[in-house]
Amino acid sequence: MSEDKAQGVKEAWFTLSGDVNSDMVHRVFEAVSMMTEDGIETAHVLVQSNGGYVSDGLCLFNFLSNSPIKFVMYNGGAVASIAVILYLSGTERYCSETARFMVHKSHATASPGSRPDALNIIVEGLRADDARTESILRKCVELTPEQWAIHQYSDLHLNSRDAKIAGLVNDVRDFRPPKGGMLRNI
């Protein structure tokens, strides 16, 4: 019997999918509020997302990392871009053998005919976003110099084995809600 079960820790299982945006932030805020009211101590969350907005991902990282609930994150398919930062909020992290991760630098599209001062504002915002996300990556993950070099200029893809070596995941393990257990979509 696991230590959690022996101590009677109340666990629940959730799925979280889609774009990382203000709608997801709202859904997560509501879900955590309900978890707190329900006395959930450990929330197992299967994340499936190709990313979205940096500020929303950072908000979710900070919110979930500082929540009184222990979050155990799972990747059963793809967690990419800013969704990786969201995923890193888990105190424990797992992925399926066939899962993948992708991280990259921020990007934006300027309006045609943008003036130099407008372009400079966009560039400064991208640099600030990159500094914030890279700070979290460096605290949570140990990439090789070669992987950091790829990340500097391109998309860095990690399979389950690479993710385990880098410390992005604790182990390769599937999301398996217990039979008869509570499963909710956030």
Side-chain angles (χ1 to χ4, degrees), residues 39-83:
I40 302 298
E41 296 175 50
T42 301
H44 299 265
V45 182
L46 174 64
V47 179
Q48 173 66 30
S49 176
N50 288 316
Y53 294 99
V54 172
S55 58
D56 293 320
L58 290 168
C59 175
L60 290 171
F61 172 83
N62 290 319
F63 177 70
L64 295 173
S65 296
N66 292 292
S67 169
I69 298 165
K70 175 183 174 182
F71 286 94
V72 180
M73 299 298 197
Y74 297 82
N75 174 355
V79 174
S81 192
I82 196 62

Side-chain angles (χ1 to χ4, degrees), residues 167-179:
L168 181 56
V169 300
N170 295 83
D171 206 354
V172 176
R173 180 189 308 168
D174 288 316
F175 179 77
R176 293 181 194 260
K179 185 176 182 176

Side-chain angles (χ1 to χ4, degrees), residues 10-179:
K10 190 167 180 186
E11 295 181 297
W13 299 75
F14 301 87
T15 57
L16 176 62
S17 63
D19 294 336
V20 178
N21 57 26
S22 59
D23 178 59
M24 181 182 277
V25 170
H26 177 76
R27 291 184 348 243
V28 170
F29 285 175
E30 287 292 320
V32 172
S33 174
M34 291 184 354
M35 290 177 206
T36 302
E37 289 174 16
D38 291 345
I40 302 298
E41 296 175 50
T42 301
H44 299 265
V45 182
L46 174 64
V47 179
Q48 173 66 30
S49 176
N50 288 316
Y53 294 99
V54 172
S55 58
D56 293 320
L58 290 168
C59 175
L60 290 171
F61 172 83
N62 290 319
F63 177 70
L64 295 173
S65 296
N66 292 292
S67 169
I69 298 165
K70 175 183 174 182
F71 286 94
V72 180
M73 299 298 197
Y74 297 82
N75 174 355
V79 174
S81 192
I82 196 62
V84 173
I85 300 300
L86 158 65
Y87 178 85
L88 286 170
S89 66
T91 53
E92 292 178 32
R93 300 179 299 270
Y94 302 98
C95 71
S96 297
E97 186 175 330
T98 56
R100 74 167 180 85
F101 296 88
M102 186 278 290
V103 291
H104 60 177
K105 296 283 187 173
S106 302
H107 59 272
T109 304
S111 301
S114 294
R115 298 178 44 86
D117 54 338
L119 293 173
N120 192 42
I121 291 169
I122 292 170
V123 169
E124 290 306 312
L126 293 173
R127 286 185 178 142
D129 286 347
D130 286 345
R132 297 185 300 167
T133 57
E134 187 169 320
S135 172
I136 293 167
L137 283 173
R138 288 193 181 273
K139 286 179 189 172
C140 299
V141 179
E142 293 184 31
L143 298 176
T144 66
E146 294 80 16
Q147 289 169 325
W148 280 116
I150 292 168
H151 176 261
Q152 184 67 30
Y153 298 104
S154 185
D155 294 349
L156 173 63
H157 295 268
L158 301 170
N159 61 26
S160 58
R161 185 178 98 340
D162 297 333
K164 184 173 179 187
I165 291 168
L168 181 56
V169 300
N170 295 83
D171 206 354
V172 176
R173 180 189 308 168
D174 288 316
F175 179 77
R176 293 181 194 260
K179 185 176 182 176

